[in-house]
Amino acid sequence: MSEMDRRRALKLLAALGTTGLAAACGADPASEETASGSPIRIGLIAPQTGGYKSIGDEIINGFQLFLDLNDKQLGGRPVTLLTADEGETEQTGKDAVDGLLKQGVLALTGVVNSTTMVGIRDTVEQARVPLVGSNASPKSLQSVVYIWRTSYVLDEPGRALGPYVAQQLPRSSRVAIIAPDNLGSRDAVQGFREGFGASDPRIASETTWTEFLTNPGKNAYVASINQALRDNPDAIFCFYAGPAAVQFIKQLRAAGYQKEIYAPGFLTEGSVLGELRPAEATGIMTSLNYSADLNNAANRRFASAYRKTHSTSPTTYAMASYDAAQVLDKAIRLAGPTATSQQVNLALGKVGQIDSPRGPWQFNQPRTPQQKWYLRKVQPDGRLLSNVLVNELATLG
């Protein structure tokens, strides 16, 4: 090196200083690892009291399973999972979100009740913290920036099932519709009417609306069921979940109805089948974005791990929450080791195709999945009742 080059080098080092020298030579691997490994907090909103508790448990189980299978990390960063009780009302849901935001979470997930989702919309958007919802997704939730969903839009199960039911039933048949009077049910019924054909004379012009109850009594639906059965329908479309689904099916069968029952898959999902007799549930046909017996590599891994951990088959609730963790894992990794909530939200739009237990899917423009829908039939599987996959219905989203 010439004397002039040596002098230039010394001046450059002096100008850079210690920090500049490190930057010029490349970041220290140890400091890089520390930054990428800094812990983060994720807030999970799910019912831990009330009639939706069983669904809330599934959502917690699904998210936790992904963490357990991935060294309790998302995007290469250790995760502290903070859970908050969604309860049964809009106010308890808002309180849960407010509490998690005060704890400095990087992102939110969960939410079972559509009323809760609508109620927390403005809070989430104003906080600029992404919410990757894993269940509730009313059709009216549009033009959002920070709310994503790994589940579905609530009119989709009906839209997927409607054409199939219309094809199966003779022209002289009649379909009655029974559902609780709430936001999610109205979306589901509208989707079924559109899929079946709203002007088709086989479908009842009026829906029999029941009271919205998360934990109904043994006679809660008797009057409404008798009203719907007056016209002697050949098939019934309904929308219930959890304890309400158990009671509705029991009371419908007790009223003497033994014909076809069609519904979104929530009617027979989770613990519901364990509380019904084969004579009550066998033959019920449902549409859903997931079946535990789907034969793909992602589902074999997920379902096997879930059964090993919980001694039962996974549900769509657990699957969508598992996928919410998978989506956040990809987004946090893309956003980098010092990512803010806003940067994670931007990265959510770049995660691309998700290799999911339900089959591959990706976010569409409204931030919901473009995905396949499946037809399932309740059948005995040994001593247990099971939702058996029949075929694909449609790709929606």
Side-chain angles (χ1 to χ4, degrees):
M1 180 185 292
S2 68
E3 186 63 25
M4 183 176 291
D5 289 337
R6 187 176 292 110
R7 286 198 300 268
R8 286 177 178 172
L10 289 171
K11 287 181 180 179
L12 176 60
L13 290 174
L16 284 171
T18 305
T19 304
L21 178 62
C25 296
D28 178 10
S31 63
E32 210 170 74
E33 184 178 347
T34 300
S36 64
S38 58
I40 56 174
R41 294 180 176 186
I42 301 295
L44 192 155
I45 306 133
Q48 288 298 277
T49 55
Y52 285 142
K53 183 182 183 302
S54 60
I55 299 176
D57 290 343
E58 289 280 327
I59 284 176
I60 293 171
N61 291 346
F63 200 95
Q64 187 63 57
L65 181 62
F66 185 90
L67 293 179
D68 292 344
L69 294 175
N70 291 275
D71 299 323
K72 302 190 186 307
Q73 295 187 355
L74 293 177
R77 300 174 69 176
V79 171
T80 298
L81 184 62
L82 305 174
T83 59
D85 184 7
E86 180 183 341
E88 290 188 324
T89 68
E90 179 180 333
Q91 187 58 53
T92 56
K94 285 183 176 179
D95 291 343
V97 172
D98 288 341
L100 291 170
L101 290 174
K102 288 177 182 177
Q103 295 182 72
V105 294
L106 182 68
L108 297 162
T109 188
V111 187
V112 167
N113 193 336
S114 291
T115 301
T116 299
M117 182 64 85
V118 172
I120 66 176
R121 169 188 172 153
D122 290 347
T123 300
V124 172
E125 293 287 298
Q126 290 167 12
R128 300 174 68 201
V129 172
L131 164 61
V132 183
S134 52
N135 191 61
S137 186
K139 188 178 179 181
S140 59
L141 189 70
Q142 299 179 2
S143 302
V144 289
V145 176
Y146 284 87
I147 300 178
W148 309 71
R149 285 137 289 166
T150 60
S151 50
Y152 41 74
V153 179
L154 269 168
D155 67 334
E156 290 177 344
R159 284 171 52 204
L161 186 59
Y164 173 83
V165 178
Q167 186 178 41
Q168 295 299 306
L169 295 180
R171 297 304 303 176
S172 59
S173 60
R174 182 171 177 79
V175 182
I177 301 176
I178 311 177
D181 190 3
N182 70 340
L183 180 62
S185 296
R186 290 190 175 276
D187 283 348
V189 168
Q190 180 184 355
F192 179 74
R193 287 187 178 279
E194 291 174 355
F196 189 95
S199 61
D200 194 310
R202 293 175 294 174
I203 194 169
S205 58
E206 297 294 330
T207 298
T208 300
W209 297 108
T210 67
E211 185 178 357
F212 172 60
L213 302 165
T214 58
N215 200 6
K218 294 183 179 181
N219 296 306
Y221 302 121
V222 170
S224 297
I225 287 171
N226 289 336
Q227 176 184 339
L229 295 182
R230 286 174 188 166
D231 293 332
N232 192 28
D234 302 285
I236 283 177
F237 175 83
C238 56
F239 182 80
Y240 296 90
V246 174
Q247 285 302 321
F248 177 79
I249 294 169
K250 284 182 174 293
Q251 291 170 42
L252 182 63
R253 295 306 195 193
Y257 182 81
Q258 297 299 324
K259 298 178 184 178
E260 301 294 338
I261 300 175
Y262 296 97
F266 323 116
L267 184 73
T268 58
E269 194 74 348
S271 60
V272 172
L273 291 181
E275 300 182 47
L276 295 172
R277 294 181 289 108
E280 294 170 328
T282 298
I284 294 176
M285 306 287 284
T286 64
S287 61
L288 204 58
N289 60 348
Y290 177 67
S291 177
D293 59 352
L294 281 169
N295 186 20
N296 62 62
N299 189 49
R300 287 193 295 271
R301 180 173 184 254
F302 166 68
S304 175
Y306 195 93
R307 291 184 181 110
K308 183 178 179 180
T309 303
H310 300 288
S311 300
T312 188
S313 293
T315 63
T316 189
Y317 312 120
M319 178 277 298
S321 191
Y322 178 89
D323 272 5
Q326 185 174 190
V327 163
L328 283 169
D329 177 61
K330 296 183 73 172
I332 292 168
R333 194 177 302 278
L334 284 170
T338 58
T340 64
S341 295
Q342 294 78 32
Q343 290 168 333
V344 171
N345 193 68
L346 287 172
L348 283 166
K350 303 174 184 177
V351 296
Q353 185 168 281
I354 305 300
D355 185 19
S356 168
R358 77 188 85 175
W361 66 270
Q362 60 189 14
F363 282 121
N364 56 20
Q365 189 174 2
R367 289 162 159 70
T368 61
Q370 183 180 33
Q371 62 187 328
K372 291 180 180 179
W373 285 85
Y374 304 97
L375 180 68
R376 312 180 314 168
K377 185 176 184 178
V378 177
Q379 295 179 355
D381 183 11
R383 295 183 178 181
L384 302 176
L385 291 171
S386 179
N387 291 295
V388 178
L389 179 67
V390 178
N391 56 40
E392 294 180 13
L393 286 171
T395 297
L396 299 177

